[in-house]
Amino acid sequence: MVPLHYYLVVSAILFFVGLLGVLTRRHAIIVLIGVEIMLNAANLNFIAFWRFGPNPDLLLGQLFTLFSIAIAGAEAAVGLALVIAVYRFYKTPDLEKMTSLHE
Amino acid sequence: MIIAFSILSVIAVISALLAVRLRNLVHATLTLMAFFVALAGLFILLMAEFLAAVQILVYVGAVGILILFAIMLTQQVTGNVKEHIEAHGALWGLAGATAVLLTLLLPAILKTALPLQPVVETIDPSVRALGLNLMSPYAIALQVIALLLTAALLGAVVIAISPEKSEEEKKS
């Protein structure tokens, strides 16, 4: 069996990659993709801890991940709708050009 | 087991990196779908077969297509080649993300004593138990999630609908 450490390290690296996408890209859709990657890294953590925990028969980790996936689906729908609405207003998906609050 | 784990995690990390680094948005979305599939494989390795199926259905089937539609409804796909894809201060972002990885996540994992072997060696297929759990102890949570999804769906439609068009429809 693969030790729990390995899963957690993979999950940490995936979280890092998602954070990288959110912090370094300027396209709104890529930022949302980064958020999705971070959510999935967290789900991997839930499942890994569930598998290695003392009571896998209770299925707590799986149930939590199921709800987390549902929340992530809602988040993706609303986030992409916001991207489309903002695009219609600014005519660009570039987050750097959305500066009306700043000016 | 370790071989499958290595292959899947390498695919997951590389496709996630490509998804946030590629210039072409459609390519980025396709690599994101590859990332979701690799993660579903890791779920199967952890004996969460129902969640692997849900992962493929929800993420590859719904979220991936949703992102493709959002790309279709906004702007050119490939982007201007000369245009910068990085935000201002992207190096600070890289430094911040690396700092989070190296000072928070990895030390926390490596310093903690974690089990090398699962306590329970084999797990029965969990679909039936999951369904029973969702119907009795977690029924209210399931209803709340259903309500949230409905509200999110309606909210997404309301946000995305074009204001001019809806006024035209009111007049007609």
Side-chain angles (χ1 to χ4, degrees):
Chain A
M1 279 297 288
V2 185
L4 180 54
H5 290 86
Y6 291 20
Y7 286 105
L8 297 190
V9 168
V10 168
S11 161
I13 293 173
L14 290 175
F15 188 87
F16 160 76
V17 171
L19 196 60
L20 198 70
V22 172
L23 291 179
T24 62
R25 289 293 296 262
R26 56 165 62 186
H27 199 291
I29 291 177
I30 300 281
V31 171
L32 271 175
I33 287 180
V35 173
E36 291 295 328
I37 292 174
M38 287 198 282
L39 280 165
N40 274 282
N43 285 350
L44 180 61
N45 251 4
F46 275 129
I47 297 289
F49 277 117
W50 163 77
R51 179 71 184 90
F52 285 82
N55 267 328
D57 289 335
L58 287 181
L59 294 173
L60 288 178
Q62 283 209 43
L63 284 161
F64 212 108
T65 310
L66 211 55
F67 288 120
S68 152
I69 287 176
I71 304 268
E75 175 262 343
V78 175
L80 289 168
L82 278 173
V83 169
I84 292 172
V86 167
Y87 175 78
R88 196 171 286 131
F89 185 75
Y90 284 101
K91 307 290 177 219
T92 172
D94 191 340
L95 293 173
E96 304 264 306
K97 295 192 178 120
M98 299 168 191
T99 54
S100 50
L101 205 60
H102 170 73
E103 275 154 6
Chain B
M1 200 89 176
I2 187 85
I3 297 171
F5 171 80
S6 327
I7 293 172
L8 284 171
S9 43
V10 165
I11 291 175
V13 169
I14 288 179
S15 53
L17 259 179
L18 284 177
V20 298
R21 293 307 310 161
L22 282 179
R23 180 180 288 274
N24 186 318
L25 287 175
V26 174
H27 293 173
T29 311
L30 292 178
T31 49
L32 183 75
M33 287 176 173
F35 161 75
F36 290 149
V37 173
L39 214 66
L42 284 177
F43 285 178
I44 288 179
L45 277 190
L46 286 165
M47 298 197 174
E49 72 288 327
F50 179 68
L51 276 176
V54 168
Q55 170 88 4
I56 297 223
L57 279 175
V58 172
Y59 277 110
V60 183
V63 174
I65 300 298
L66 204 63
I67 292 176
L68 281 179
F69 267 103
I71 293 169
M72 192 187 78
L73 291 175
T74 62
Q75 215 206 358
Q76 75 279 19
V77 171
T78 47
N80 192 342
V81 182
K82 284 174 190 164
E83 208 176 332
H84 285 293
I85 55 169
E86 268 93 17
H88 275 300
L91 278 179
W92 287 107
L94 174 66
T98 317
V100 167
L101 178 71
L102 293 182
T103 63
L104 287 176
L105 300 176
L106 288 184
I109 294 166
L110 298 178
K111 277 180 193 164
T112 317
L114 294 167
L116 293 178
Q117 291 288 328
V119 180
V120 184
E121 198 53 51
T122 53
I123 296 177
D124 296 333
S126 48
V127 184
R128 182 183 157 81
L130 268 175
L132 288 174
N133 265 311
L134 283 177
M135 280 303 117
S136 51
Y138 294 94
I140 294 179
L142 189 71
Q143 302 296 323
V144 171
I145 282 286
L147 196 66
L148 175 94
L149 276 175
T150 315
L153 200 69
L154 290 176
V157 171
V158 168
I159 293 169
I161 205 164
S162 132
E164 301 91 37
K165 258 194 189 154
S166 56
E167 272 165 28
E168 276 168 24
E169 279 164 8
K170 271 178 205 163
K171 279 172 198 166
S172 63

